[in-house]
Amino acid sequence: MHTDDRPARLAVGVLGAGRVGSVLGAALARAGHRVVAASGVSDASRNRVADRLGLAPSNPEDVVAKADLVLLTVPDDVLPDLVVGLAETGVELRGKLLVHTSGAYGLAVLNPATKAGALPLALHPVMTFTGSDDDLSRMTGISFGVTAPDQLRMVAEALVIEMEGEPVWIEEKDRALYHAALAGAANHMVTLVAESSDLLQKIGVDDPGRMLGPLLGAALDNVLRLGISGLTGPVVRGDAGTVRRHVDALILAAPEAADAYVALARLTADRALAAGLLKPEAAERLLDALGGNIWT
């Protein structure tokens, strides 16, 4: 295979055909590649091998042996040992594209396989995968955080575009911070919204989602368009008394959430102050209300 050309039709293997692996395998098949083998540990993964990829599950060594491109779509904590295990089994890796989808890892995690002749790529799809049939359609237009050796950049770009995504180049040294930014936004947003929904249900709101949906939709649109300038609410208004009442109410109703509220209010005040949206005297009042220093 010429590493500086658009990839030819490849035989694709999937190690870990869970929510992510089965969707990426299907996306590559949609682009004209052939998914020839896949493995799964759980019953759900093995069912996805059959339902989404139309295959009987294989063992990992057979997956690698049959494939030109191997997707390593396993949990982050499993990935390093998987790569070491593949290198130590002696299965032929030379000339094979080895692609992991972890956001936190770059190319270094693939070093044991790279030393055995594999061609390493890190292609992280910036999307949540729920296991539903809608996952494949959500692939269209998403970003992929891509880290690749110089000689494989065109191959990485072509693969992402073939999956109907957009490559965004991430330096090896920046992978952990890149993934922290994404996880902090998406994962913590889910926790915050779930917590808010629970609090509203506690006081008798029957459909918290209906109440929160328009508010959160507007807030998300504002921040994506305007950044911190789209901030609204009691912190940016300097309403220290309201913020203190929030904290007191949370201490009584959901003490486990009170610390998170204080930490986020401090971060919000810090950013608002730095952006000139919050006056220093208002920040001091908020400081007192929150019981700590917003400056680091």
Side-chain angles (χ1 to χ4, degrees):
M1 171 180 170
H2 298 291
T3 58
D4 57 348
D5 294 333
R6 176 185 174 88
R9 300 308 86 186
L10 299 169
V12 176
V14 184
L15 288 182
R19 296 177 180 182
V20 178
S22 61
V23 172
L24 295 191
L28 288 168
R30 183 173 62 183
H33 301 287
R34 294 181 301 111
V35 181
V36 295
S39 69
V41 175
S42 68
D43 289 340
S45 293
R46 288 191 290 270
N47 288 337
R48 289 189 184 100
V49 171
D51 296 342
R52 265 195 191 147
L53 304 177
L55 299 169
S58 302
N59 64 55
E61 291 79 8
D62 286 343
V63 172
V64 176
K66 293 176 181 178
D68 305 312
L69 183 157
V70 183
L71 291 173
L72 306 180
T73 46
V74 298
D76 287 359
D77 287 350
V78 175
L79 182 60
D81 287 343
L82 173 61
V83 176
V84 170
L86 288 176
E88 290 179 348
T89 61
V91 65
E92 183 57 59
L93 294 171
R94 187 167 302 280
K96 295 179 185 286
L97 286 164
L98 208 60
V99 180
H100 79 69
T101 58
S102 166
Y105 285 110
L107 300 179
V109 72
L110 298 175
N111 279 347
T114 303
K115 291 175 182 178
L119 306 174
L121 295 176
L123 307 180
H124 173 243
V126 185
M127 177 50 62
T128 59
F129 294 89
T130 63
S132 73
D133 292 336
D134 294 333
D135 285 345
L136 183 58
S137 62
R138 289 179 180 147
M139 291 280 293
T140 302
I142 70 169
S143 297
F144 279 70
V146 179
T147 304
D150 288 343
Q151 68 271 26
L152 292 175
R153 282 176 67 94
M154 291 182 65
V155 174
E157 182 175 35
L159 287 170
V160 170
I161 291 171
E162 286 186 333
M163 288 187 284
E164 301 186 4
E166 178 181 349
V168 178
W169 302 101
I170 307 296
E171 294 291 333
E172 176 83 11
K173 64 181 176 60
D174 296 328
R175 292 291 294 201
L177 187 58
Y178 152 80
H179 196 237
L182 298 177
N187 301 165
H188 298 163
M189 179 182 69
V190 171
T191 303
L192 288 170
V193 175
E195 184 69 22
S196 295
S197 296
D198 289 348
L199 293 172
L200 290 170
Q201 285 181 323
K202 281 184 178 181
I203 61 170
V205 176
D206 291 331
D207 190 353
R210 184 173 182 178
M211 178 178 283
L212 289 168
L215 173 66
L216 298 180
L220 181 60
D221 178 68
N222 286 343
V223 70
L224 292 178
R225 288 187 301 107
L226 304 173
I228 195 64
S229 296
L231 179 65
T232 64
V235 170
V236 74
R237 292 195 300 265
D239 291 339
T242 296
V243 169
R244 185 66 243 177
R245 284 191 289 275
H246 291 176
V247 175
D248 292 342
L250 285 169
I251 289 171
L252 292 175
E256 70 282 357
D259 287 344
Y261 180 95
V262 169
L264 288 170
R266 291 176 67 231
L267 180 60
T268 302
D270 189 41
R271 292 188 65 95
L273 183 65
L277 303 174
L278 185 66
K279 294 181 178 179
E281 57 269 26
E284 289 290 349
R285 291 194 298 272
L286 286 167
L287 167 66
D288 291 339
L290 294 168
N293 195 331
I294 63 172
W295 289 281
T296 56

